[in-house]
Amino acid sequence: MARTKTAATAPSGASAKTSRNGRLSNAERSAYFARREAAKVLRLVLRGDARRRAVGSIKSLVYSPSVKNKKATYALVCQTLKHLSIIKQVLDSASILNSKWKRQEELVYILTYDILFGQEISLVGDAEKFLMLHKGAIQLALAQLLVRNKVKSIEDLMALYQTPDVPKPRYVRVNTLKMDVDSAVLELGKQFVVQKDDLVPDLLILPPGCDLHVHPLIVNGCVFLQGKASSMVAAALAPKPGWKVLDACSAPGNKTVHLAALMKGKGKIVACELNKERVRRLKDTIKLSGAANIEVLHGDFLNLDPKDPAYSEVSLIFCIFTWMIIMFHGFYVNQ
Ligand SMILES: C[S@@+](CC[C@H](N)C(=O)[O-])C[C@H]1O[C@@H](n2cnc3c(N)ncnc32)[C@H](O)[C@@H]1O
């Protein structure tokens, strides 16, 4: 059975074997922590799904400062989610998830992914030891699942669980700092069938698959490639011209510049971003948008002083991580 190798749990080329002196190798150590970080993210995602309350995209959860090994964690979460229906059936038929391990089921999912499709795992933690004891049963359960479904490969099995791809329309947001919506409809309408979105006033719907990356309106920042979910956020908050807005975690900045457009460039937005590389990306987005009322702050939002007079008149704190706003406000209220 072909393994779908990912760089999820060990850096490529690194040995996953314990070094001769019995200590953990670097690869083992990073794999051990990446699995636990991935399990935490997976838990948030699955709980959010169960309550029908999104806790943030996988990317945003992985970008939280508490996650060290971002690349490996992201890959592990995505791969485990992709194979989750198979993993659950395998664990079910091998009767692996007893009451003790049910409490750590996300870690068990991650490890089962690695046993079946990912990297070799070694006996570095209790969960690893437990799962490796049942490795034979897990692999047998997968083989039986293939037979039951009358398929020969994992790919065929995955195809049985996949919903058919429905072509999605292409959404673009008109940057009203540079162009009005009707002019954008006219201009884009020369090439495509364009509809206005019924929910977000500055959002346009174009046919699936149309490539706009090099379109002059995209290149000059009159129009942004931005999905409907992303564009709904600033529209729902409906900031007024003249407001002071604090965007806590802002890169790449699409929502930041959308806020600026809705504020008609009046008032002020402080856009905070922790990651140096992403600050550069944020500045590029702002420059492209032409917004002149955004101040970029490179740093940790949680280190801002809520008593600083600069933030005393803030009307809106915008953040994908709600807990950060609570901490910021909580600190403010308590002091
Ligand atoms: C997923 S992005 C979301 C960005 C944007 N608000 C959006 O919705 O498109 C999250 C960003 O928050 C940044 N970030 C995470 N923790 C932060 C903190 N404590 N202070 C400032 N920025 C933070 C990350 O570096 C990342 O660029």
Side-chain angles (χ1 to χ4, degrees):
M1 194 177 303
R3 277 171 172 269
T4 30
K5 285 262 179 203
T6 65
T9 52
S12 62
S15 164
K17 299 240 162 61
T18 316
S19 57
R20 271 191 218 127
N21 60 15
R23 288 207 200 129
L24 291 188
S25 66
N26 285 342
E28 279 176 330
R29 193 174 297 113
S30 73
Y32 176 90
F33 286 115
R35 287 189 199 113
R36 273 135 192 95
E37 291 184 327
K40 274 191 205 156
V41 172
L42 189 59
R43 171 171 290 227
L44 288 170
V45 172
L46 295 180
R47 289 195 172 176
D49 280 357
R51 292 182 199 145
R52 295 198 162 274
R53 278 189 58 186
V55 287
S57 66
I58 299 173
K59 249 189 193 144
S60 67
L61 293 169
V62 168
Y63 269 107
S64 130
S66 63
V67 176
K68 304 267 177 301
N69 203 341
K70 297 191 191 306
K71 201 171 163 195
T73 303
Y74 183 70
L76 255 181
V77 174
C78 292
Q79 288 300 325
T80 304
L81 276 173
K82 193 169 146 195
H83 294 83
L84 195 57
S85 47
I86 296 177
I87 290 170
K88 281 186 175 176
Q89 290 192 57
V90 163
L91 290 171
D92 206 27
S93 37
S95 307
I96 303 286
L97 269 178
N98 59 27
S99 53
K100 177 182 170 196
W101 290 104
K102 184 89 187 133
R103 269 177 267 137
Q104 290 191 61
E105 61 184 342
E106 297 81 11
L107 181 56
V108 172
Y109 294 153
I110 300 274
L111 285 161
T112 307
Y113 165 76
D114 258 351
I115 287 177
L116 292 175
F117 314 111
Q119 298 283 322
E120 294 287 334
I121 61 174
S122 45
L123 306 173
V124 287
D126 286 349
E128 280 82 350
K129 285 178 192 151
F130 170 72
L131 265 295
M132 286 304 276
L133 265 182
H134 295 86
K135 184 177 173 179
I138 289 171
Q139 288 175 331
L140 179 65
L142 178 62
Q144 288 168 341
L145 191 61
L146 290 172
V147 173
R148 267 205 309 282
N149 284 284
K150 301 188 177 66
V151 289
K152 291 205 170 83
S153 68
I154 300 296
E155 287 71 30
D156 292 343
L157 190 58
M158 299 270 294
L160 292 179
Y161 295 106
Q162 265 156 15
T163 41
D165 274 349
V166 180
K168 295 191 190 80
R170 164 73 73 192
Y171 286 98
V172 294
R173 181 179 62 76
V174 182
N175 174 17
T176 49
L177 289 173
K178 286 194 168 177
M179 186 177 222
D180 64 79
V181 175
D182 289 332
S183 307
V185 172
L186 268 180
E187 199 54 39
L188 291 168
K190 291 177 186 165
Q191 248 180 296
F192 309 103
V193 178
V194 186
Q195 273 176 276
K196 289 184 187 172
D197 186 71
D198 51 7
L199 207 58
V200 183
D202 44 7
L203 195 66
L204 303 178
I205 312 170
L206 278 74
C210 56
D211 187 1
L212 287 153
H213 285 88
V214 291
H215 193 283
L217 293 189
I218 295 287
V219 175
N220 68 17
C222 286
V223 161
F224 276 70
L225 290 171
Q226 193 167 344
K228 180 158 178 166
S230 167
S231 305
M232 279 165 68
V233 183
L237 292 168
K240 299 272 175 286
W243 275 21
K244 286 198 174 165
V245 173
L246 179 54
D247 185 349
C249 305
S250 31
N254 285 342
K255 295 185 188 89
T256 322
V257 297
H258 191 187
L259 289 166
L262 294 173
M263 290 160 65
K264 301 189 191 313
K266 295 184 186 128
K268 188 173 176 186
I269 300 174
V270 176
C272 188
E273 173 53 50
L274 186 65
N275 181 297
K276 193 173 159 195
E277 296 298 315
R278 292 174 65 81
V279 165
R280 238 175 269 151
R281 178 95 188 271
L282 171 65
K283 285 183 176 168
D284 288 345
T285 308
I286 296 171
K287 193 171 167 200
L288 185 66
S289 79
N293 61 335
I294 304 175
E295 179 193 331
V296 174
L297 211 70
H298 176 202
D300 188 336
F301 165 70
L302 291 173
N303 288 340
L304 298 186
D305 178 2
K307 287 194 290 185
D308 185 330
Y311 308 117
S312 64
E313 288 169 21
V314 163
S315 330
L316 172 70
I317 306 177
F318 175 69
C319 181
I320 46 158
F321 302 118
T322 319
W323 58 267
M324 281 204 200
I325 297 183
I326 294 166
M327 281 177 77
F328 188 79
H329 266 303
F331 178 80
Y332 183 69
V333 170
N334 289 335
Q335 301 298 304

mmCIF file of all heavy atoms in Angstrom, residues 50-68:
data_model
loop_
_atom_site.group_PDB
_atom_site.id
_atom_site.type_symbol
_atom_site.label_atom_id
_atom_site.label_comp_id
_atom_site.label_asym_id
_atom_site.label_seq_id
_atom_site.Cartn_x
_atom_site.Cartn_y
_atom_site.Cartn_z
ATOM 1 N N ALA A 50 -18.494 20.862 15.320
ATOM 2 C CA ALA A 50 -19.594 20.195 16.022
ATOM 3 C C ALA A 50 -20.606 21.211 16.540
ATOM 4 O O ALA A 50 -21.798 20.974 16.529
ATOM 5 C CB ALA A 50 -19.042 19.362 17.178
ATOM 6 N N ARG A 51 -20.087 22.379 16.973
ATOM 7 C CA ARG A 51 -21.017 23.402 17.492
ATOM 8 C C ARG A 51 -21.468 24.356 16.412
ATOM 9 O O ARG A 51 -22.097 25.365 16.684
ATOM 10 C CB ARG A 51 -20.317 24.225 18.587
ATOM 11 C CG ARG A 51 -20.036 23.416 19.813
ATOM 12 C CD ARG A 51 -19.386 24.321 20.845
ATOM 13 N NE ARG A 51 -18.711 23.516 21.829
ATOM 14 C CZ ARG A 51 -17.584 23.828 22.436
ATOM 15 N NH1 ARG A 51 -16.988 24.960 22.133
ATOM 16 N NH2 ARG A 51 -17.051 23.056 23.328
ATOM 17 N N ARG A 52 -21.043 24.068 15.176
ATOM 18 C CA ARG A 52 -21.342 24.956 14.048
ATOM 19 C C ARG A 52 -20.888 26.385 14.340
ATOM 20 O O ARG A 52 -21.532 27.360 14.021
ATOM 21 C CB ARG A 52 -22.833 24.941 13.695
ATOM 22 C CG ARG A 52 -23.276 23.599 13.196
ATOM 23 C CD ARG A 52 -24.571 23.679 12.454
ATOM 24 N NE ARG A 52 -24.759 22.495 11.637
ATOM 25 C CZ ARG A 52 -24.277 22.337 10.409
ATOM 26 N NH1 ARG A 52 -23.596 23.288 9.850
ATOM 27 N NH2 ARG A 52 -24.465 21.237 9.739
ATOM 28 N N ARG A 53 -19.763 26.486 15.071
ATOM 29 C CA ARG A 53 -19.190 27.808 15.355
ATOM 30 C C ARG A 53 -17.729 27.776 14.983
ATOM 31 O O ARG A 53 -16.931 27.132 15.653
ATOM 32 C CB ARG A 53 -19.304 28.128 16.846
ATOM 33 C CG ARG A 53 -20.652 28.663 17.227
ATOM 34 C CD ARG A 53 -20.620 29.153 18.644
ATOM 35 N NE ARG A 53 -19.618 30.183 18.848
ATOM 36 C CZ ARG A 53 -19.324 30.678 20.041
ATOM 37 N NH1 ARG A 53 -19.927 30.241 21.099
ATOM 38 N NH2 ARG A 53 -18.425 31.614 20.158
ATOM 39 N N ALA A 54 -17.403 28.446 13.881
ATOM 40 C CA ALA A 54 -16.011 28.412 13.443
ATOM 41 C C ALA A 54 -15.125 29.101 14.473
ATOM 42 O O ALA A 54 -15.484 30.144 15.012
ATOM 43 C CB ALA A 54 -15.891 29.113 12.104
ATOM 44 N N VAL A 55 -14.014 28.450 14.810
ATOM 45 C CA VAL A 55 -13.085 29.053 15.768
ATOM 46 C C VAL A 55 -11.962 29.775 15.046
ATOM 47 O O VAL A 55 -11.078 30.323 15.675
ATOM 48 C CB VAL A 55 -12.476 27.974 16.686
ATOM 49 C CG1 VAL A 55 -13.498 27.480 17.679
ATOM 50 C CG2 VAL A 55 -11.918 26.829 15.863
ATOM 51 N N GLY A 56 -11.986 29.773 13.751
ATOM 52 C CA GLY A 56 -10.903 30.367 12.964
ATOM 53 C C GLY A 56 -10.467 29.334 11.941
ATOM 54 O O GLY A 56 -10.740 28.143 12.100
ATOM 55 N N SER A 57 -9.834 29.798 10.862
ATOM 56 C CA SER A 57 -9.378 28.838 9.858
ATOM 57 C C SER A 57 -8.212 28.053 10.447
ATOM 58 O O SER A 57 -7.606 28.465 11.448
ATOM 59 C CB SER A 57 -8.930 29.603 8.622
ATOM 60 O OG SER A 57 -7.800 30.360 8.954
ATOM 61 N N ILE A 58 -7.893 26.919 9.803
ATOM 62 C CA ILE A 58 -6.761 26.116 10.295
ATOM 63 C C ILE A 58 -5.505 26.973 10.271
ATOM 64 O O ILE A 58 -4.724 26.974 11.218
ATOM 65 C CB ILE A 58 -6.579 24.862 9.409
ATOM 66 C CG1 ILE A 58 -7.852 24.018 9.485
ATOM 67 C CG2 ILE A 58 -5.385 24.040 9.853
ATOM 68 C CD1 ILE A 58 -7.874 22.853 8.526
ATOM 69 N N LYS A 59 -5.366 27.757 9.193
ATOM 70 C CA LYS A 59 -4.179 28.614 9.086
ATOM 71 C C LYS A 59 -4.110 29.587 10.252
ATOM 72 O O LYS A 59 -3.064 29.771 10.869
ATOM 73 C CB LYS A 59 -4.221 29.385 7.774
ATOM 74 C CG LYS A 59 -3.155 28.927 6.832
ATOM 75 C CD LYS A 59 -3.022 29.788 5.628
ATOM 76 C CE LYS A 59 -2.144 29.009 4.661
ATOM 77 N NZ LYS A 59 -2.495 29.167 3.312
ATOM 78 N N SER A 60 -5.242 30.211 10.578
ATOM 79 C CA SER A 60 -5.194 31.206 11.648
ATOM 80 C C SER A 60 -4.882 30.544 12.981
ATOM 81 O O SER A 60 -4.164 31.107 13.808
ATOM 82 C CB SER A 60 -6.498 32.009 11.721
ATOM 83 O OG SER A 60 -7.560 31.180 12.125
ATOM 84 N N LEU A 61 -5.367 29.323 13.197
ATOM 85 C CA LEU A 61 -5.070 28.623 14.452
ATOM 86 C C LEU A 61 -3.588 28.253 14.505
ATOM 87 O O LEU A 61 -2.937 28.374 15.541
ATOM 88 C CB LEU A 61 -5.940 27.366 14.584
ATOM 89 C CG LEU A 61 -7.446 27.626 14.749
ATOM 90 C CD1 LEU A 61 -8.247 26.346 14.601
ATOM 91 C CD2 LEU A 61 -7.738 28.271 16.093
ATOM 92 N N VAL A 62 -3.068 27.819 13.349
ATOM 93 C CA VAL A 62 -1.656 27.425 13.321
ATOM 94 C C VAL A 62 -0.746 28.648 13.481
ATOM 95 O O VAL A 62 0.337 28.553 14.041
ATOM 96 C CB VAL A 62 -1.354 26.650 12.004
ATOM 97 C CG1 VAL A 62 0.130 26.468 11.793
ATOM 98 C CG2 VAL A 62 -2.038 25.294 12.029
ATOM 99 N N TYR A 63 -1.225 29.815 13.029
ATOM 100 C CA TYR A 63 -0.404 31.027 13.158
ATOM 101 C C TYR A 63 -0.420 31.607 14.566
ATOM 102 O O TYR A 63 0.243 32.598 14.840
ATOM 103 C CB TYR A 63 -0.839 32.087 12.140
ATOM 104 C CG TYR A 63 -0.058 31.968 10.865
ATOM 105 C CD1 TYR A 63 -0.639 31.469 9.712
ATOM 106 C CD2 TYR A 63 1.290 32.309 10.838
ATOM 107 C CE1 TYR A 63 0.090 31.316 8.551
ATOM 108 C CE2 TYR A 63 2.021 32.169 9.685
ATOM 109 C CZ TYR A 63 1.420 31.680 8.542
ATOM 110 O OH TYR A 63 2.154 31.538 7.399
ATOM 111 N N SER A 64 -1.182 31.002 15.469
ATOM 112 C CA SER A 64 -1.169 31.485 16.852
ATOM 113 C C SER A 64 0.255 31.350 17.411
ATOM 114 O O SER A 64 0.955 30.393 17.086
ATOM 115 C CB SER A 64 -2.180 30.666 17.669
ATOM 116 O OG SER A 64 -1.586 30.200 18.830
ATOM 117 N N PRO A 65 0.680 32.308 18.249
ATOM 118 C CA PRO A 65 2.077 32.271 18.704
ATOM 119 C C PRO A 65 2.422 30.998 19.477
ATOM 120 O O PRO A 65 3.576 30.614 19.559
ATOM 121 C CB PRO A 65 2.180 33.486 19.636
ATOM 122 C CG PRO A 65 0.968 34.305 19.408
ATOM 123 C CD PRO A 65 -0.071 33.464 18.781
ATOM 124 N N SER A 66 1.426 30.300 20.024
ATOM 125 C CA SER A 66 1.738 29.114 20.832
ATOM 126 C C SER A 66 2.190 27.931 19.954
ATOM 127 O O SER A 66 2.758 26.976 20.453
ATOM 128 C CB SER A 66 0.522 28.703 21.664
ATOM 129 O OG SER A 66 -0.520 28.333 20.798
ATOM 130 N N VAL A 67 1.925 28.006 18.651
ATOM 131 C CA VAL A 67 2.336 26.895 17.779
ATOM 132 C C VAL A 67 3.738 27.183 17.236
ATOM 133 O O VAL A 67 3.948 28.159 16.523
ATOM 134 C CB VAL A 67 1.324 26.709 16.618
ATOM 135 C CG1 VAL A 67 1.791 25.623 15.661
ATOM 136 C CG2 VAL A 67 -0.052 26.358 17.172
ATOM 137 N N LYS A 68 4.700 26.316 17.585
ATOM 138 C CA LYS A 68 6.094 26.563 17.196
ATOM 139 C C LYS A 68 6.355 26.032 15.782
ATOM 140 O O LYS A 68 6.891 26.698 14.944
ATOM 141 C CB LYS A 68 7.047 25.858 18.166
ATOM 142 C CG LYS A 68 6.858 26.247 19.634
ATOM 143 C CD LYS A 68 7.787 27.403 20.010
ATOM 144 C CE LYS A 68 7.596 27.885 21.427
ATOM 145 N NZ LYS A 68 6.249 28.356 21.745
#
